[in-house]
Amino acid sequence: MSLLPPTVEQQRRIDEELPPDPEMRSRDIAAIREWLAKQPHLPDHMDDKRLEHFLFGCKNSVERCKKILETYFSARTALSEFFAARDPLARDVQQSCDVVEYFVLPRVTEDGYRVTILRLHDTALERFSLTAITRRILMVLDVRLQEEPSLSNIMIFDLKGFTAGHFAKCSPTQAIVKKAMLATQDSMPFRLHRVHYLNAPAFINSILNIFYPLLKEKLITKFRIHTGGGEELHAYLDKDILPCEWGGKAGTFQELNESWRLKIEKNRDWFLREEKLSKTNESARLPSSRSTILKELEGVQGSFRKLNID
């Protein structure tokens, strides 16, 4: 299933928030390319379309775009757990597709936001790999960067089937979880509008309390916790854009999950090529441009405070 473009009315709302200016965009892209040419440690192989999508995701801020590009490439060098061996046909990626349903809905919301859903299909704890899930999420985000700009995003976590064991694997006290947060939140030009938790268990507040001290208050205000299922989203979203199981017309969970499995498989050659190209040359890095990712990995606190929030 393709990502459907905004309707005329949805595009009007997007343009109201970020007014289009083709001449300014061309100048900004030229400025970013000039900056890249002066960074000997960074690659300069992105086409204008992807750079434009980066810039749009940074609300057309050239300086913000430079910062995200630096982190985007640095993360791919420093966090090999998620960016090495990104073969969509690899066993761990395929198993992740079987165990966790993760997909982007075809249609945007009335405000022009993209909606992403993550839920368990197989509750077997031994088949639940946070590393594989994170690798796959980042692959989907890279596909999205190629296909379209994104105004903002709504994330829906369906916690049905999650046990204390699943939550333990996602505890921020584990190094792999902190690395996953760095990779997904700090290195991509995607903004977050809202996070919905469905089928939240009775102990959800105890789980979230572990994260709250590490999160900006502004992010916490974006959380919506629901004890019920997808029907609770109808108060927030046009239900027609939702999966069939939640009263919508987007397709079933299985159809949507399989469509994104196929989408990343179709991009296999691109992923294998990008794995070699989208890296920093640390030996060429100037002393004045130390990687922020490396600073975080050395134990600097606050990696969760750099979430890209509207």
Side-chain angles (χ1 to χ4, degrees):
M1 297 181 185
S2 301
L3 293 175
L4 300 177
T7 64
V8 172
E9 177 60 23
Q10 289 165 343
Q11 188 62 54
R12 184 187 65 79
R13 295 187 183 186
I14 293 171
D15 291 344
E16 285 179 352
E17 183 162 345
L18 281 177
D21 187 337
E23 291 186 7
M24 178 65 75
R25 184 170 63 244
S26 295
R27 291 196 295 269
D28 288 345
I29 293 299
I32 292 168
R33 287 212 177 279
E34 182 180 356
W35 172 78
L36 282 170
K38 296 177 181 178
Q39 310 301 314
H41 64 292
L42 295 181
D44 188 14
H45 66 289
M46 281 192 182
D47 59 25
D48 284 356
K49 180 180 178 182
R50 191 149 55 124
L51 283 178
E52 287 178 10
H53 293 172
F54 257 89
L55 184 62
F56 189 88
C58 296
K59 300 181 76 170
N60 292 334
S61 166
V62 172
E63 292 308 309
R64 176 65 178 165
C65 188
K66 291 176 182 178
K67 182 178 180 181
I68 293 294
L69 281 168
E70 162 67 40
T71 312
Y72 177 88
F73 291 124
S74 296
R76 280 151 175 73
T77 304
L79 298 169
S80 58
E81 301 95 327
F82 312 122
F83 296 106
R86 290 211 299 174
D87 185 346
L89 300 180
R91 183 176 180 274
D92 63 337
V93 176
Q94 288 292 316
Q95 179 170 285
S96 172
C97 293
D98 294 335
V99 173
V100 177
E101 292 174 332
Y102 175 76
F103 49 83
V104 186
L105 294 179
R107 292 167 55 190
V108 297
T109 68
E110 293 180 357
D111 293 318
Y113 302 154
R114 282 291 175 199
V115 180
T116 303
I117 295 172
L118 186 150
R119 64 190 303 277
L120 284 180
H121 176 71
D122 182 341
T123 60
L125 186 59
E126 66 275 9
R127 288 165 56 83
F128 182 85
S129 168
L130 182 63
T131 300
I133 294 168
T134 303
R135 184 182 295 123
R136 178 173 154 224
I137 287 173
L138 290 162
M139 293 168 77
V140 168
L141 292 178
D142 264 328
V143 169
R144 290 184 58 196
L145 269 177
Q146 292 185 80
E147 294 193 355
E148 66 169 11
S150 174
L151 182 61
S152 196
N153 294 270
I154 295 172
M155 186 70 212
I156 300 171
F157 291 98
D158 184 356
L159 302 180
K160 184 178 181 179
F162 275 79
T163 65
H166 289 96
F167 287 114
K169 283 194 171 186
C170 300
S171 169
T173 59
Q174 299 188 57
I176 191 63
V177 176
K178 294 181 179 180
K179 289 182 177 182
M181 289 289 286
L182 277 173
T184 55
Q185 300 286 4
D186 289 358
S187 69
M188 287 288 188
F190 289 100
R191 291 181 284 140
L192 187 62
H193 174 71
R194 186 80 70 222
V195 181
H196 291 277
Y197 296 93
L198 302 180
N199 293 300
F203 55 84
I204 186 63
N205 286 327
S206 297
I207 297 297
L208 292 177
N209 281 340
I210 301 174
F211 285 90
Y212 281 160
L214 305 172
L215 298 173
K216 280 185 176 180
E217 183 177 349
K218 189 174 181 180
L219 175 64
I220 296 172
T221 63
K222 295 176 182 292
F223 291 175
R224 297 294 182 270
I225 301 173
H226 312 279
T227 56
E231 69 280 354
E232 302 216 13
L233 296 171
H234 298 174
Y236 299 87
L237 302 170
D238 174 8
K239 77 173 185 178
D240 283 351
I241 75 170
L242 296 172
C244 298
E245 291 90 340
W246 291 347
K249 300 177 180 178
T252 66
F253 294 143
Q254 182 178 359
E255 290 169 344
L256 292 162
N257 187 62
E258 287 303 308
S259 71
W260 277 90
R261 186 205 301 256
L262 181 60
K263 188 182 285 285
I264 63 173
E265 288 177 0
K266 286 184 175 179
N267 282 274
R268 181 174 185 260
D269 290 344
W270 184 88
F271 282 119
L272 296 179
R273 183 173 64 253
E274 277 289 304
E275 185 181 324
K276 299 175 182 178
L277 296 175
S278 288
K279 287 185 176 183
T280 55
N281 179 359
E282 292 300 324
S283 64
R285 183 187 289 274
L286 299 175
S288 59
S289 62
R290 191 182 179 209
S291 168
T292 56
I293 284 285
L294 290 178
K295 292 179 184 178
E296 297 289 357
L297 291 176
E298 288 173 1
V300 176
Q301 295 300 314
S303 61
F304 295 90
R305 294 185 180 277
K306 295 183 179 180
L307 297 175
N308 193 14
I309 307 169
D310 288 340

